[in-house]
Amino acid sequence: MSKKLAIVGAGPVGLAAAAHALERGLDPIVLEAGSEAGHAIRQWPHVRMFSPWEYNIDKAAERLLTPTGWNAPDPTAYPTGGDLLAHYVTPLATRTALKDRIKTFSRVTAISRKGFDKVKSRGREAALFEIRYKNGKGPELLTADAIIDASGTWFSPNPAGSNGLPAVGEAAAAKRIAYAMPDVLGVERARYAGKTVAVLGAGHSAIGTLIDLVRLKDDAPETTVIWLLRGDSPQKAFGGGASDKLSARGELGAAFARLVVEGRLKVETSFDVTHVTERDGRLRIGAGSACCGRHVIVDELIVATGFRPDLGFLSELRLSLDPALDCPTALAPLIDPNEHSCGTVRPHGARELAHPERGFYIAGMKSYGRAPTFLMLTGYEQVRSIVADIAGDKEAAARVDLVLPETGVCSRAPAADACCGSPAVKPSLGPVACCG
């Protein structure tokens, strides 16, 4: 009987894992919390990715799609999130053998070993995994021989507070706060046009939103745009410009630099948000003490400070996580933003992503924990290696099948949040992302 592989998340990396599993003769089941595959991408269809199509299509997925009459997109074109859905994710999920493998409306709530809590050891590795999930019918349960968590980080954005915690009053002011990259020029235009809007963050998600808000100001002159920057150097957010090997990312940084120089937006540097207070229908965003620190008064706040993994439903598994990044311990030295900027991370797979809980892996954007830079092609290589390992092909699992493009101006200077955030999403999993 073939091994049953449970995959959490039907995004591009989760679907790629299922495609590789089918080729390996495994029995994959994909649990997706949303109503359709690519649920997270559906939150940023307006965002154009930094990486072209050639870096966004998994080989095993392509082999499933080709017999259906699917036409591959122009490999040199840069897709939006909507393009990624329409021309890749949706056909892959609905027109191939994967269509019978995906359970939508299935939010995973807990994973453990059948009959074993986190403490019990003897016989543990022989026990099946037990996955609990919920849908409209109520709690459900399934078992599996192995698990790949590719659930991403989009729905776990970092808060506004500079200490990693929500700013005081942030939750109470939630109706005037958005996270990541709202569609300020499209479906959410009315919310922001003619308003005073602050954007907190220095990664590409923040930059892309600031550029769009300045465009909105061109049509709605009463719009005021304020950039709240935790650091003291706006130049760090401009990136490598013409030297950036991902040209779309370099062009974004250069365009943003021009807007700052021209004074098209207000810049508040060294602004560590501590308090958010709603007063008379507006927000007072404070840095420092609640009474005497610096503050700005705005109508809306957009928090674009990156993402973090949701590890809550993994509490009964034995994980090995870096204490700073919440990523697999062996992966941390390759992606630590305190040491690396936006240079290429070498390909990696099952060895770096393994945990003490044998048969369990975290892949895709979530595998990077709180680190910001992620290329979707890296996620595809991760799951190719992991699935080979689960199938028992240790040679293929250890082999590197990917030669990554040079994705940036590499530096060992602290990167702060000057690189791609999760969409940026996140491989291009993310918007405005080298990433994704």
Side-chain angles (χ1 to χ4, degrees):
M1 190 171 70
S2 61
K3 287 185 177 180
K4 188 168 187 177
L5 169 62
I7 299 163
V8 185
V13 175
L15 295 178
H20 283 276
L22 287 179
E23 288 192 339
R24 289 277 181 179
L26 302 178
D27 179 18
I29 183 74
V30 185
L31 299 172
E32 168 55 55
S35 60
E36 298 175 84
H39 181 56
I41 303 172
R42 295 176 194 280
Q43 315 309 307
W44 48 271
H46 58 291
V47 178
R48 190 165 301 281
M49 298 163 67
F50 289 153
S51 49
W53 273 112
E54 64 178 313
Y55 300 149
N56 294 316
I57 296 175
D58 174 72
K59 297 301 183 185
E62 185 174 16
R63 289 190 288 269
L64 276 181
L65 280 164
T66 299
T68 70
W70 173 77
N71 293 314
D74 177 356
T76 65
Y78 290 82
T80 63
D83 296 332
L84 188 66
L85 288 169
H87 302 298
Y88 178 59
V89 172
T90 298
L92 180 60
T94 62
R95 293 169 53 186
T96 72
L98 295 186
K99 67 180 185 296
D100 299 320
R101 302 284 179 163
I102 301 169
K103 285 181 171 288
T104 56
F105 295 109
S106 299
R107 180 177 299 280
V108 174
T109 58
I111 301 175
S112 67
R113 290 279 192 179
K114 189 174 183 180
F116 288 76
D117 64 14
K118 190 173 185 176
V119 176
K120 188 177 178 181
S121 296
R122 183 173 297 178
R124 185 179 190 88
E125 290 188 357
L128 293 173
F129 287 99
E130 182 175 284
I131 302 103
R132 295 185 183 181
Y133 63 99
K134 63 180 181 180
N135 54 30
K137 296 188 297 183
E140 300 275 358
L141 184 149
L142 63 81
T143 58
D145 298 285
I147 296 176
I148 298 175
D149 180 359
S151 57
T153 58
W154 179 264
F155 295 103
S156 300
N158 287 327
S162 60
N163 58 359
L165 302 175
V168 175
E170 184 173 345
K175 66 181 181 180
R176 293 186 177 274
I177 302 176
Y179 295 85
M181 298 189 71
D183 188 3
V184 301
L185 292 175
V187 296
E188 297 185 82
R189 177 189 176 91
R191 176 173 177 175
Y192 298 102
K195 306 291 180 60
T196 298
V197 186
V199 178
L200 174 66
H204 289 91
S205 297
I207 291 172
T209 299
L210 286 162
I211 290 174
D212 283 350
L213 284 169
V214 173
R215 291 174 181 159
L216 179 61
K217 181 179 174 65
D218 291 338
D219 292 333
E222 294 182 2
T223 307
T224 300
V225 185
I226 303 175
W227 180 23
L228 302 181
L229 179 63
R230 289 172 177 169
D232 59 2
S233 175
Q235 288 75 19
K236 288 182 180 179
F238 300 161
S243 299
D244 197 316
K245 301 301 182 181
L246 285 178
S247 60
R249 188 176 65 193
E251 291 167 5
L252 183 81
F256 181 62
R258 288 192 296 271
L259 296 180
V260 172
V261 170
E262 293 168 1
R264 303 288 302 282
L265 64 159
K266 298 180 180 180
V267 182
E268 294 281 350
T269 60
S270 302
F271 199 97
D272 291 329
V273 175
T274 54
H275 294 74
V276 179
T277 308
E278 194 165 9
R279 293 182 179 177
D280 300 322
R282 306 190 80 195
L283 292 181
R284 181 187 187 276
I285 305 171
S289 64
C291 63
C292 309
R294 294 167 57 198
H295 69 274
V296 296
I297 304 295
V298 304
D299 299 298
E300 298 282 345
L301 171 63
I302 297 172
V303 180
T305 54
F307 301 81
R308 60 182 58 179
D310 175 9
L311 301 170
F313 63 88
L314 305 179
S315 61
E316 282 304 309
L317 298 180
R318 296 178 175 181
L319 306 182
S320 177
L321 298 173
D322 181 78
L325 300 182
D326 289 337
C327 71
T329 304
L331 181 60
L334 306 181
I335 62 174
D336 188 348
N338 294 294
E339 297 294 331
H340 303 287
S341 173
C342 292
T344 297
V345 176
R346 69 168 171 80
H348 52 275
R351 182 179 60 184
E352 291 85 358
L353 300 172
H355 289 275
E357 197 72 75
R358 187 173 178 181
F360 175 80
Y361 304 84
I362 299 175
M365 194 75 190
K366 189 172 181 176
S367 71
Y368 272 41
R370 300 193 185 199
T373 311
F374 181 76
L375 188 70
M376 195 141 63
L377 206 58
T378 298
Y380 296 157
E381 173 66 4
Q382 287 178 341
V383 295
R384 181 208 62 78
S385 172
I386 289 170
V387 171
D389 192 59
I390 293 170
D393 189 344
K394 304 301 181 181
E395 180 181 352
R399 186 177 67 239
V400 174
D401 279 5
L402 172 65
V403 178
L404 283 171
E406 177 62 41
T407 57
V409 180
C410 193
S411 166
R412 290 192 62 81
D417 40 343
C419 202
C420 337
S422 246
V425 228
K426 342 134 26 311
S428 269
L429 236 203
V432 176
C434 43
C435 19

